[in-house]
Amino acid sequence: ECAGIVEDDWVPLFPTSSACCTTTIPWVDLQLCESNSDSSSTGTQKYYAVNPGGKCMKDCDPGSSSGPAECGRVTDLSTVLFDTISECCTLGQNWVDERFCTSRSVGTYSGGWFVDSGTNSKCVKDCASGVGDPLCANVDSPSSPIYETAEECCREKLSWVGLNRCVHASEGTTGEW
């Protein structure tokens, strides 16, 4: 992008944005620097951690249809970029449950199970609450562990309740306790 005429002879000029980026600000991700230096760029198409929120977004123009991830342009040049959502969640959001981060990064729910903090005696499903499924709830904290099944959640987090009692309460079924 043209910003005028350089009148000071001490200002270094570079043949490309890449040369400028690597010479003057080498600590900035090269693709991010090049992308932000080009007014026609639509972003790096890489992922970055969003806090608070516990998710990752794609560095692309908002509203563009470039996959399932939400788009937003990176403006902070100290932002770390990742090639995949998985890598971003594992390395950039290491305090967040990976299932939570991965699902929220693509605008969905994990479908896994977590401890119901309201009762602390059953597990509930991570899915859209209030849309007909009484087993669904919203995860209270992005760092709450999410498990594949109600049984696994009960066994790992609520062993004091009793496995059968916890599973039946979690799944909304009746059975022998």
Side-chain angles (χ1 to χ4, degrees):
E1 184 172 334
C2 183
I5 298 172
V6 176
E7 295 180 6
D8 298 318
D9 58 1
W10 57 267
V11 174
L13 298 176
F14 299 92
T16 64
S17 60
S18 177
C20 178
C21 292
T22 55
T23 304
T24 59
I25 47 176
W27 59 89
V28 174
D29 180 274
L30 179 59
Q31 284 184 300
L32 180 59
C33 181
E34 289 175 332
S35 176
N36 285 357
S37 299
D38 179 359
S39 62
S40 66
S41 172
T42 59
T44 63
Q45 310 305 309
K46 290 189 171 195
Y47 299 90
Y48 62 97
V50 176
N51 289 306
K55 67 180 183 176
C56 295
M57 284 180 63
K58 193 171 193 177
D59 177 35
C60 53
D61 286 334
S64 69
S65 58
S66 59
E70 185 179 345
C71 283
R73 291 302 302 268
V74 174
T75 56
D76 179 357
L77 293 180
S78 67
T79 300
V80 177
L81 298 174
F82 302 95
D83 291 329
T84 64
I85 289 174
S86 178
E87 187 179 279
C88 179
C89 288
T90 302
L91 301 173
Q93 298 282 28
N94 60 351
W95 61 276
V96 174
D97 181 88
E98 189 170 358
R99 285 185 176 115
F100 180 93
C101 180
T102 302
S103 63
R104 295 322 190 267
S105 297
V106 296
T108 64
Y109 296 89
S110 70
W113 296 82
F114 65 97
V115 174
D116 179 2
S117 61
T119 67
N120 208 30
S121 62
K122 69 177 185 174
C123 296
V124 288
K125 199 170 186 180
D126 178 32
C127 48
S129 60
V131 292
D133 189 341
L135 303 178
C136 292
N138 293 320
V139 177
D140 293 328
S141 168
S143 62
S144 295
I146 298 175
Y147 298 92
E148 189 67 31
T149 64
E151 182 177 336
E152 182 183 6
C153 177
C154 290
R155 187 182 321 95
E156 294 295 322
K157 299 305 279 186
L158 298 170
S159 59
W160 58 272
V161 173
L163 184 60
N164 286 339
R165 178 181 294 250
C166 179
V167 171
H168 289 298
S170 300
E171 294 177 345
T173 60
T174 56
E176 283 194 36
W177 296 356

